Amino acid sequence: MVLSKYKEVLRLAIRKGEAISPIEVEKYLKLSDQTVKKVLSQLVDKKMLIPASGIKRIGSYRLGEQVEHPI
């Protein structure tokens, strides 16, 4: 189940082509803010997402270099 959440967050980021916010992910996946924060944090740990704004409180994320960019 967690793997599918990772895939959906990455799919959203790829489709959008720019930074995504936790609120966008919440609305897109219909998940709680706590779940979204955990998933985003885990994707950052795996270097699949990189914080795009903010240091202590991250406001948006962009794709990491480990994620292949489509075409």
Side-chain angles (χ1 to χ4, degrees):
M1 184 68 157
V2 172
L3 185 58
S4 65
K5 290 176 189 169
Y6 290 162
K7 285 182 179 181
E8 289 302 317
V9 170
L10 294 173
R11 188 175 290 141
L12 174 64
I14 290 168
R15 200 176 308 143
K16 189 171 179 196
E18 58 187 47
I20 58 172
S21 72
I23 292 172
E24 284 179 282
V25 176
E26 257 182 72
K27 289 179 181 176
Y28 179 72
L29 295 179
K30 297 177 176 70
L31 297 172
S32 72
D33 62 332
Q34 290 294 331
T35 303
V36 168
K37 287 175 189 173
K38 189 186 327 184
V39 169
L40 292 172
S41 175
Q42 290 168 344
L43 285 169
V44 168
D45 290 346
K46 295 177 185 298
K47 305 211 183 314
M48 298 180 114
L49 288 179
I50 298 170
S53 70
I55 295 170
K56 287 189 177 190
R57 296 186 69 192
I58 300 166
S60 62
Y61 299 81
R62 62 183 171 85
L63 289 172
E65 293 178 17
Q66 291 211 2
V67 179
E68 275 188 44
H69 293 274
I71 306 177

